[in-house]
Amino acid sequence: MKYKALFLDVDGTTVAHGEGNLPTERVTRAIAMCRKNGVFVCLATSRPLSSVRRVIEHLDLAEYHVISSGAQIYDGTTKKIIVEKSIPKSCVMHIFDVAKKYNVHVKFFDGVTDSHFDGVHIPEKIVDAYFPELEPKILKKIHRALSSTEGIALHRMFAWNSTYECLDITHEEVSKLHGIVDVAKLIGVETKDSIGVGDGHNDFPLLLACGLKIAMGNAVPELKAIADFVAPTVNEDGVAVVIEKFILENN
């Protein structure tokens, strides 16, 4: 089958985990060849624009990208956010109270930068609330405390320090799946004609949105279980292998 779009997670998939890392030369070259063959390439990441911009520019991807766990869609041509969904204000205080109860730090993101919240004056706009570096047992408690809250969605993911996990909180109609569906409409491609590649718990929606589901060799076991194909690890240039096998050979 000839695929028309490739949706890539960033950390643990396109680049090795860690702020500042860039795709390897082999992955960079494969993505360039992919685009040369007429296949749309979109990054789908939990990172905000400020953190993922360098990867986008390195790969010269002047297209649409799903960022902030799907809360925003970025147009690489106009350099503007063209879609944005915020957390209901009624939920912000509850998230803050849960963080206080378990004595952990929560960051609030206004779509551009971290926004200060003192527990009294709710910021005008919150796109994302983020619990960094949670111990797994605390993450489960916080997840349980927030899971029944109307208006929000919870996204579990790796911390760059692999002994911890993170929890990302967004508007209830936000996920990588929502973002991919929106991007597919913008470019006029059916999602069944796309490939999705990821490694973490928050990549379940990414894979479920795509016709061909691919998990990295370093992916969580649950993601591998739903994948059509398990690629080599990020350190073995798994994304390049995917492009070579399912796009370049077919074209």
Side-chain angles (χ1 to χ4, degrees):
M1 178 175 177
K2 188 172 181 178
Y3 292 98
K4 298 178 181 179
L6 175 64
F7 294 96
L8 298 171
D9 169 53
V10 175
D11 293 289
T13 301
T14 306
V15 306
H17 281 281
E19 186 74 48
N21 287 341
L22 291 173
T24 64
E25 182 179 344
R26 182 183 177 191
V27 169
T28 300
R29 185 169 59 249
I31 289 174
M33 287 299 297
C34 181
R35 297 176 68 227
K36 188 175 181 180
N37 277 264
V39 177
F40 175 87
V41 179
C42 170
L43 300 184
T45 178
S46 61
R47 291 196 195 190
L49 178 59
S50 60
S51 178
V52 76
R53 190 196 302 271
R54 187 163 172 254
V55 179
I56 293 172
E57 292 176 350
H58 171 83
L59 293 170
D60 194 25
L61 296 177
E63 290 114 352
Y64 303 110
H65 301 283
V66 178
I67 60 176
S68 300
S69 294
Q72 298 174 313
I73 293 178
Y74 173 68
D75 183 342
T77 300
T78 64
K79 312 292 185 186
K80 294 180 179 179
I81 301 294
I82 60 170
V83 175
E84 184 174 77
K85 298 176 183 177
S86 302
I87 295 174
K89 279 191 174 184
S90 58
C91 300
V92 174
M93 192 68 210
H94 181 48
I95 295 168
F96 181 84
D97 288 342
V98 169
K100 188 175 180 180
K101 176 181 178 180
Y102 291 102
N103 195 31
V104 294
H105 181 57
V106 58
K107 296 181 178 180
F108 292 97
F109 177 67
D110 68 6
V112 177
T113 187
D114 288 340
S115 181
H116 176 68
F117 177 41
D118 57 9
V120 178
H121 305 93
I122 298 176
E124 185 62 31
K125 180 180 67 174
I126 295 294
V127 169
D128 173 289
Y130 180 66
F131 288 88
E133 296 193 341
L134 293 173
E135 294 181 4
K137 64 179 181 180
I138 298 298
L139 182 144
K140 289 179 181 178
K141 291 179 180 179
I142 293 174
H143 196 288
R144 191 179 305 118
L146 294 172
S147 60
S148 60
T149 305
E150 293 185 5
I152 60 173
L154 310 179
H155 312 275
R156 177 183 166 193
M157 67 192 79
F158 291 124
W160 288 337
N161 179 341
S162 61
T163 62
Y164 293 92
E165 292 188 63
C166 307
L167 187 64
D168 208 24
I169 304 169
T170 62
H171 183 280
E172 64 183 351
E173 294 180 357
V174 163
S175 70
K176 291 185 180 183
L177 183 150
H178 287 85
I180 287 170
V181 169
D182 286 344
V183 168
K185 290 178 181 177
L186 287 168
I187 63 174
V189 168
E190 293 189 36
T191 55
K192 67 181 179 64
D193 296 327
S194 65
I195 301 172
V197 191
D199 75 308
H201 293 104
N202 66 329
D203 291 321
F204 274 87
L206 190 163
L207 266 62
L208 292 175
C210 299
L212 181 63
K213 303 167 179 60
I214 297 180
M216 298 293 287
N218 49 283
V220 295
E222 299 93 332
L223 198 68
K224 291 180 180 178
I226 69 164
D228 300 310
F229 177 77
V230 177
T233 68
V234 65
N235 293 326
E236 298 169 309
D237 294 332
V239 165
V241 173
V242 170
I243 291 171
E244 292 159 4
K245 179 176 178 65
F246 294 102
I247 294 175
L248 301 184
E249 287 184 11
N250 288 341
N251 288 358

